[in-house]
Amino acid sequence: MRALQGLRGPRAPSLPLLLLCFLAALRRSLEHGLSTAAPFKSLPVQEEMMTKYSNLSLESHNISVTAAPFTSLPVQEEMMTKSSNLSLESHSISMTEHSNMPVEKNITLERPSNVELICQFTPSGDLNSVNVTWKKGDKLLEGNYLVNATGGILYTQHRVAVINSKQMGSYSCFFGEKKQQRGTFNLKVPEINGQNKPLITYLGDSVVLMCKCQDCLPLNWTWYGGNGSVQVPIGVPVNDKYVISGKHANETRLKITQLSEDDQGTYLCHAIFELGESEGHVKLVVLSYLVPLKVFCAIAAEVVLLVAAILLFEMYTQKKKKPSDDGKEFEQGEQLKLDDSNGIENSGPRHRKNESVGQ
């Protein structure tokens, strides 16, 4: 037995010792492999995605930094910029709780401006219980006005930046709910003064039509003519028939030569302002020379008829007077005869009395 044990050699190491040796060798090999391995040529997926995202954000950042500045402002900011340079006009109206009719005020605007609209209302009750609203036409305005109460009077203010024709129109303030009191501001462009009475002229003559804008200066004038429902613009002279003057002044004139019956009708003068348009009208009547002759003949006929009627009346009254005059003369003659006869009869007794007295 001992001989066999000698042949086997030394005792084999135990299992825990083998495991420890294996782990130590594995650790050394791993450390050696990591120290000698080549660097990574590609990143892990997560790091690669993060790198791509970082590149994208970097590109976006670069674009925002190098982008050109805006060349135009937003509409609201542009309107605010324009309105800040405009002049301010203030208009007010006053109302009471017992006002029977709505109060209106016309405001004429020729050019852009800031308009401050103020309504004053004097109630009989509590000021805080009065409801205040504003409208532009039929549209309710919300949050664009101020309300203040001072000394028993309720004030409300609405400011409008009038830049173009869209801000023109009617603005109304309302006080109360059941029985509302209303005040209205009418924003309008200047009125054009034409000619209220028809302009009468004759065939073959020349005439000058005129329209005027009081205390204003339109940007441009345009004339329209026509004897029907369709108005035709008059802009280019036709055989020197139309001549327009004062296209950039406060008044304009339209000269029409060699008038004919076709030139008769209503002419419109159209004015253009920064905030809108306005127009006036002139009515032209073209007559023939026979028309006054007809009028003269008619007047002469009326005069002849009147004179004839007067003469007939005189003749009738004369004939009526003659029988009455003859009757009066006859009565006067009879009266004289009676007086004569009475005188003879009265003289007889007087002679007799004288004779008796003489005896």
Side-chain angles (χ1 to χ4, degrees):
M1 291 293 293
R2 290 178 180 176
L4 290 173
Q5 289 178 351
L7 293 172
R8 291 177 182 174
R11 182 179 297 180
S14 62
L15 182 60
L17 182 61
L18 291 175
L19 289 175
L20 289 174
C21 292
F22 176 75
L23 291 176
L26 181 60
R27 181 178 179 181
R28 285 194 299 270
S29 62
L30 288 174
E31 289 179 354
H32 178 73
L34 289 174
S35 59
T36 59
F40 289 108
K41 295 183 179 180
S42 61
L43 296 173
V45 176
Q46 184 176 2
E47 291 186 8
E48 185 176 1
M49 291 180 66
M50 291 178 63
T51 305
K52 288 182 179 180
Y53 286 141
S54 63
N55 292 335
L56 291 175
S57 61
L58 179 61
E59 291 176 4
S60 174
H61 177 71
N62 291 337
I63 290 173
S64 63
V65 171
T66 59
F70 290 108
T71 57
S72 61
L73 297 172
V75 176
Q76 185 176 2
E77 186 176 352
E78 185 177 1
M79 291 180 64
M80 292 178 63
T81 304
K82 289 183 177 179
S83 63
S84 62
N85 298 326
L86 301 178
S87 60
L88 177 63
E89 296 186 15
S90 182
H91 302 272
S92 63
I93 56 178
S94 300
M95 294 173 287
T96 64
E97 196 175 73
H98 305 289
S99 299
N100 296 325
M101 298 295 293
V103 181
E104 292 194 16
K105 184 174 184 179
N106 296 326
I107 302 173
T108 302
L109 297 176
E110 181 182 355
R111 56 185 57 88
S113 59
N114 287 316
V115 182
E116 187 179 64
L117 308 177
I118 302 174
C119 293
Q120 303 178 13
F121 180 67
T122 306
S124 58
D126 184 16
L127 294 176
N128 297 324
S129 63
V130 179
N131 185 39
V132 180
T133 55
W134 279 85
K135 288 184 179 180
K136 182 184 185 299
D138 297 329
K139 182 181 178 181
L140 185 65
L141 301 176
E142 298 181 357
N144 295 3
Y145 55 90
L146 301 175
V147 180
N148 188 21
T150 305
I153 301 177
L154 192 62
Y155 297 87
T156 179
Q157 173 187 324
H158 177 60
R159 180 173 292 188
V160 185
V162 182
I163 300 175
N164 51 46
S165 59
K166 294 181 180 180
Q167 291 82 40
M168 302 293 281
S170 299
Y171 293 83
S172 301
C173 56
F174 295 86
F175 295 92
E177 294 182 356
K178 296 181 179 179
K179 184 182 178 181
Q180 287 187 333
Q181 300 293 337
R182 184 186 69 186
T184 303
F185 300 90
N186 299 314
L187 306 186
K188 304 187 299 182
V189 294
E191 294 183 355
I192 303 302
N193 300 321
Q195 291 176 318
N196 297 326
K197 296 182 180 180
L199 189 59
I200 301 175
T201 185
Y202 298 95
L203 293 173
D205 288 349
S206 299
V207 67
V208 177
L209 311 181
M210 186 181 70
C211 286
K212 187 175 182 180
C213 183
Q214 190 70 29
D215 299 330
C216 61
L217 188 64
L219 300 177
N220 194 17
W221 291 92
T222 304
W223 280 94
Y224 293 86
N227 53 9
S229 58
V230 179
Q231 298 293 331
V232 180
I234 303 173
V236 180
V238 180
N239 298 327
D240 296 331
K241 184 176 181 63
Y242 301 105
V243 178
I244 300 176
S245 61
K247 294 192 67 173
H248 301 284
N250 67 330
E251 68 177 23
T252 178
R253 298 172 184 267
L254 172 64
K255 183 179 180 180
I256 308 175
T257 60
Q258 302 174 1
L259 288 171
S260 64
E261 292 182 355
D262 295 335
D263 296 323
Q264 181 171 280
T266 301
Y267 291 80
L268 298 180
C269 50
H270 191 83
I272 300 177
F273 299 91
E274 292 185 56
L275 301 177
E277 303 174 356
S278 183
E279 63 183 20
H281 66 277
V282 181
K283 187 175 182 180
L284 178 63
V285 179
V286 181
L287 301 178
S288 172
Y289 284 106
L290 296 177
V291 173
L293 183 60
K294 292 178 181 179
V295 174
F296 175 77
C297 293
I299 294 174
E302 291 180 358
V303 171
V304 170
L305 291 175
L306 181 61
V307 172
I310 294 173
L311 292 175
L312 290 174
F313 180 75
E314 290 292 334
M315 293 174 64
Y316 175 75
T317 53
Q318 290 294 334
K319 289 180 179 181
K320 191 175 181 181
K321 286 180 179 180
K322 284 182 179 181
S324 60
D325 292 342
D326 294 341
K328 289 182 179 180
E329 290 178 357
F330 178 75
E331 290 178 358
Q332 290 177 358
E334 291 296 326
Q335 186 67 32
L336 290 174
K337 290 179 181 180
L338 290 175
D339 293 339
D340 292 340
S341 61
N342 291 332
I344 294 172
E345 291 178 356
N346 291 330
S347 63
R350 287 179 182 176
H351 289 294
R352 291 174 184 176
K353 289 180 179 179
N354 291 333
E355 292 178 353
S356 61
V357 171
Q359 293 178 358

